Amino acid sequence: MNLKEAFHSRRFKYGALSTAISAIFIVLIIIFNVVASLLTEKFPLTIDLTPNSAFKLSQESVDFIRGLEKPVSITVLTNEKNLESSGDLYTSQIKSVIDQYSQYNSNISTSYVDIVKDPTFVTQYADLNLRYNDVLITCGSKSRKLSLSGMFNIATNQYTGQQSIRSSKAEQMMTSAIMGVTSDSNIKVAFLTGHEEIELDAFEELLTQNNFEVSQLNLTAEEIDPSIDVLFMLAPERDPDLEQLEKLDTFLKNDQQYGKVLFYAANAEQPATPNLNAFLNDWGISVGEGSVIETNATRIFNYNPYFCTVEFTSEDYTDEVNTSITTSMPFGRPLEVLYEAQSGFQTSTLLSYSDTAAVVPVGAAQDWQPSAEDLHSIPALVRSTYVRYDGLTPLESHVFVASAASAFEGALINSKSVSNADYYLQLLNIVTERSDVISIAPKELGGSELGITQFQATLISSILIYILPLAIVVAGLVVWIRRRHK
């Protein structure tokens, strides 16, 4: 067959047609992938098949983002390709979350800047001390810095000290930061210093992530800024003098406009603070001596009777809190409500230890055991409110007293086994009348915590280690004996 006949043969015609169809199909596939890739960069077209939609923004975030009218810039200070190719599941989840914000609102732009290749970028924000793997969120003159590594909740094994990633809080931090830079006003919180107070970095970080403007204030050397909304005094080792307590009183009165909050937390190992105790007595709250213990094993953690759980005595501040998850107030001092109402003051117990709790007296012997008469419910968190009426308008300031500053430590604030973080955030949101609040739970990509007490853990261990194996042995013996006698 010559060349001309070959070109006109049936085999060539069908082969050419097949090749053309294949080529067109391949081109269409390429075009489809290019278009799909461009669309997914601009619109949320991916499908999240994880049980808790870990790679997808929650509806609360989406609704907030779509309503934004201010321009927001998100700049991730890392190499985007390196981030994509990390192979780590949580890193992939964080990148997926960050990239989605610009897909729901054209006012939000997302970019990646490798500051190793472009180190001059950070000089524009010298006050923020930007580093590699930081995330910069700006809106106008406001800016917020986040860290990619800070978007993980880290769990530490109490026996080995080994750390592992427990969950991702990328969406929680990103949405909160965007709210912070776009909000016209922030609630100001100051942690008092100057009397050897306990420093609780995890709790301060929690407040910062939820758009509270957090600072520290030395009560011995500084005046209290009247624009501050909430003061925290956490287990001072030295007693404030009368002049310093007068500052607190002036702050709470706020030139007769009130509207302020003082949150005090005690510590079982504190030395005597008679001046501070007298100040709190005026508000109807007494901080007693000794340490609270729990005699019911179902209400403690880590086999430690001082590591107690507490009950929700009041429904106040619990609307957005899962009250089926316990709250913990470990190593606390006993509180007492001195009166319910008096001269404009109103007191209320919000959290309390159970009726199987007791107080270990100061200086008690190591083998001290409570009697039946020692067991009773003890207030763990008390609120006192002073109300003044301007016509029909109530003007209120609040003093909250917690029996233990340890309730705000990182181990509890970052734990999903207890509701400490959710409860205290909800309390602050309500008492400061915040309306622009979104609550977003951390996203787990692995197994979740059981959230069980020490008694439950012991019971489950006993069943798995002793009862179940024994039942299997007994069943095996029964089967063997029955078969032997057949």
Side-chain angles (χ1 to χ4, degrees):
M1 180 183 295
N2 57 35
L3 185 62
K4 184 176 181 180
E5 291 176 342
F7 276 110
H8 288 85
S9 68
R10 177 179 295 182
R11 177 180 295 179
F12 177 81
K13 291 180 180 180
Y14 282 114
L17 180 62
S18 177
T19 302
I21 292 174
S22 298
I24 292 172
F25 181 76
I26 292 172
V27 170
L28 290 175
I29 290 293
I30 294 173
I31 293 173
F32 176 80
N33 279 279
V34 170
V35 172
S37 178
L38 292 173
L39 287 175
T40 52
E41 290 181 2
K42 294 294 183 181
F43 304 99
L45 300 178
T46 57
I47 299 175
D48 187 351
L49 299 178
T50 57
N52 60 346
S53 299
F55 288 79
K56 182 180 178 182
L57 293 184
S58 65
Q59 192 59 45
E60 290 84 357
S61 286
V62 172
D63 292 340
F64 164 70
I65 294 164
R66 284 176 171 162
L68 279 179
E69 297 179 356
K70 297 180 180 180
V72 176
S73 173
I74 301 173
T75 307
V76 187
L77 306 183
T78 192
N79 185 299
E80 184 177 10
K81 292 183 179 179
N82 290 345
L83 198 64
E84 289 176 338
S85 60
S86 68
D88 180 78
L89 189 60
Y90 276 103
T91 302
S92 300
Q93 187 265 349
I94 285 176
K95 185 180 187 305
S96 174
V97 166
I98 291 175
D99 290 344
Q100 288 180 63
Y101 284 88
S102 58
Q103 298 174 354
Y104 286 99
N105 192 323
S106 59
N107 289 321
I108 301 177
S109 62
T110 303
S111 60
Y112 289 79
V113 176
D114 188 344
I115 59 175
V116 173
K117 297 179 179 179
D118 183 12
T120 60
F121 179 86
V122 299
T123 60
Q124 306 172 54
Y125 306 91
D127 57 322
L128 292 179
N129 191 26
L130 295 173
R131 299 179 182 275
Y132 195 77
N133 281 341
D134 281 347
V135 180
L136 176 67
I137 301 172
T138 60
C139 177
S141 60
K142 291 186 175 182
S143 59
R144 182 72 64 85
K145 180 184 77 170
L146 305 175
S147 169
L148 291 177
S149 60
M151 295 183 181
F152 303 117
N153 278 321
I154 305 296
T156 303
N157 188 300
Q158 61 178 328
Y159 301 107
T160 65
Q162 184 177 2
Q163 293 186 328
S164 59
I165 296 175
R166 184 177 60 201
S167 60
S168 166
K169 52 184 177 182
E171 181 187 352
Q172 177 188 27
M173 294 179 65
M174 288 293 298
T175 299
S176 178
I178 294 173
M179 291 182 69
V181 298
T182 57
S183 176
D184 294 326
S185 62
N186 289 329
I187 300 298
K188 294 184 177 181
V189 175
F191 286 81
L192 296 176
T193 64
H195 298 85
E196 300 179 46
E197 290 85 352
I198 292 176
E199 295 183 8
L200 298 174
D201 295 338
F203 186 57
E204 292 188 30
E205 181 185 358
L206 176 71
L207 297 183
T208 300
Q209 291 173 1
N210 285 272
N211 290 321
F212 289 93
E213 188 176 320
V214 178
S215 63
Q216 293 191 342
L217 188 151
N218 190 323
L219 190 61
T220 63
E222 301 177 66
E223 297 298 320
I224 300 176
D225 184 346
S227 67
I228 292 173
D229 301 288
V230 183
L231 289 177
F232 273 89
M233 178 179 279
L234 301 175
E237 289 290 308
R238 293 188 292 108
D239 196 17
D241 61 31
L242 298 182
E243 181 181 350
Q244 293 154 9
L245 293 173
E246 183 63 29
K247 291 182 183 180
L248 297 181
D249 189 60
T250 301
F251 164 76
L252 290 166
K253 289 179 178 176
N254 189 26
D255 198 21
Q256 298 301 309
Q257 296 305 304
Y258 295 90
K260 302 296 184 180
V261 178
L262 171 64
F263 206 113
Y264 170 75
N267 187 312
E269 298 180 351
Q270 273 179 280
T273 54
N275 293 336
L276 183 55
N277 289 351
F279 174 84
L280 296 175
N281 289 350
D282 290 341
W283 283 79
I285 305 171
S286 173
V287 181
E289 299 296 325
S291 304
V292 179
I293 63 168
E294 176 59 66
T295 62
N296 186 335
T298 65
R299 299 181 181 275
I300 64 173
F301 289 99
N302 299 333
Y303 299 100
N304 191 335
Y306 293 91
F307 209 121
C308 314
T309 64
V310 291
E311 301 172 342
F312 296 99
T313 310
S314 168
E315 294 182 357
D316 293 353
Y317 316 120
T318 61
D319 288 348
E320 302 296 327
V321 178
N322 184 357
T323 54
S324 64
I325 300 177
T326 187
T327 300
S328 182
M329 190 80 75
F331 312 105
R333 292 172 65 178
L335 304 182
E336 180 184 355
V337 176
L338 301 179
Y339 55 77
E340 292 185 0
Q342 178 178 295
S343 304
F345 294 92
Q346 298 176 353
T347 58
S348 177
T349 299
L350 303 176
L351 300 174
S352 61
Y353 296 98
S354 76
D355 55 9
T356 53
V359 178
V360 180
V362 176
Q366 289 187 348
D367 59 352
W368 181 89
Q369 293 293 328
S371 64
E373 291 75 19
D374 295 322
L375 305 182
H376 63 283
S377 178
I378 303 166
L381 177 64
V382 178
R383 177 194 62 206
S384 178
T385 303
Y386 181 81
V387 184
R388 183 183 80 83
Y389 283 89
D390 182 8
L392 297 177
T393 304
L395 304 176
E396 301 178 344
S397 279
H398 307 275
V399 171
F400 292 86
V401 178
S403 68
S406 55
F408 305 95
E409 291 183 348
L412 294 176
I413 289 297
N414 294 325
S415 174
K416 294 186 67 179
S417 297
V418 293
S419 58
N420 287 37
D422 291 341
Y423 178 74
Y424 293 114
L425 274 179
Q426 176 74 353
L427 184 154
L428 289 173
N429 288 336
I430 293 176
V431 79
T432 57
E433 300 181 352
R434 296 180 74 198
S435 56
D436 55 341
V437 178
I438 296 177
S439 178
I440 301 168
K443 301 293 182 68
E444 294 185 353
L445 302 184
S448 59
E449 293 183 21
L450 291 175
I452 58 177
T453 65
Q454 195 64 58
F455 174 79
Q456 292 169 322
T458 302
L459 179 61
I460 293 173
S461 299
S462 299
I463 292 174
L464 295 177
I465 297 173
Y466 303 109
I467 298 177
L468 186 58
L470 181 61
I472 294 173
V473 170
V474 171
L477 286 173
V478 170
V479 172
W480 178 74
I481 292 172
R482 292 184 62 183
R483 288 182 176 179
R484 186 181 179 187
H485 290 84
K486 281 185 177 180

